[in-house]
Amino acid sequence: MYRIMLIDDEYAIHLSLRKLVERSGLRIEFVGEAEDGVEALELLEDSRPDIIVTDICMPEMDGLEFIRRVRESHPQMFFIILSGHDNFEFARQALRYGVSDFLLKPIDPAQFQTTLERACRELDERKARFSRQTEWTLAQQHHKARLAELLYSADEQRALEQIREIMALFETSGPEEVSVSRYAHMLMQDLLTAMKERGLLLAMEIGEDQWPQDDPIACSHQLQEKIKGMLALIKGSRNLGSRHNIQKAKRYIEENYAMEDLSLQEVADSVGMSVTYLSRTFKSETNMNFVKYLVQVRMEKAKELLAESELSAQETAYRVGFSDYVHFSKTFKKFHGLTPSAYRKQCKAMNGE
């Protein structure tokens, strides 16, 4: 249902137009009437019309001044102007303010009906266009976020697949006012910004003049080449810093091994890396995964405590991040070939105790 407001200083016009609207059979309802622009401005925010029918010549504030003011805050409003004079200057100004129709008094019912039908069609098209644009915006935000994660994880195959999906989506649903070359350029800017936010400063040339004009296939290929270049820079940057970051991750584990719920996510956050990339890099640098390394650290610390302290075996388990002593004992034996109690006895025997 669309909402219509009528502004005219003639009572007879109000009555006749109200009847025409009610008999139109269209999804339109009256939400406000005013005698001049000043009164209409006061009613505007409460009535929230989609269509405004206004006379030009009115006391206090004329129709053109009213339209000019409303346009500033409601640029999508559908305006229909009424006038008792076939004045070219009025019509010229009305067009400048984006008025949709200019009707002469006395109003021809058939012409008014046609104008209302056109207003409804245009408003329907705006709604559909807005819905498509909203869906497109949400979809491309999701795809760009996914692509940024794949780039950060240096997953070339899936990153290139994602680029192809993004460009296919743009071709079918992208905004008509944005050229494919402009979109490709903006996409690269967004990706470089996303990498910068993750601590990766990548020096790349992505000027607008580097993209094929109005050629979706060529732009898609060019974009894939740019992505490959970006991935090469990311991998190069990672190779320089990965060893240092893995050392930081190992130190973090060695300082926090007693936390029972210590996770890979927490370690990744501590060194500013994604979980996926840390997992892959950690295994590459240490020849073991995170869980195995954490258990190894805990078992070595447990050995030290059993050999050098008076803590019970159960208390030792708690100190190295185990809440279940049976699990701790089995894990300790798997690593060291002895139960915690047997290992402590061995240590005491070796020390002559």
Side-chain angles (χ1 to χ4, degrees), residues 2 46 93 140 278:
Y2 293 119
D46 288 334
Q93 289 189 56
Q140 65 112 16
L278 174 61

Side-chain angles (χ1 to χ4, degrees), residues 6-7 52-56 58 63 66-67 79-82:
L6 174 60
I7 310 163
I52 293 179
V53 181
T54 180
D55 192 9
I56 287 184
M58 297 180 294
F66 168 73
I67 291 170
F79 284 103
I80 301 170
I81 276 189
L82 309 177

Side-chain angles (χ1 to χ4, degrees), residues 78-121:
F78 193 101
F79 284 103
I80 301 170
I81 276 189
L82 309 177
S83 178
H85 307 282
D86 189 2
N87 187 304
F88 174 76
E89 180 58 25
F90 281 158
R92 187 182 67 81
Q93 289 189 56
L95 288 173
R96 190 175 68 196
Y97 293 145
V99 171
S100 302
D101 269 298
F102 190 100
L103 302 179
L104 289 175
K105 296 178 181 179
I107 304 302
D108 177 82
Q111 187 180 16
F112 188 66
Q113 174 74 18
T114 300
T115 300
L116 291 180
E117 289 173 355
R118 193 169 77 82
C120 288
R121 282 197 304 273

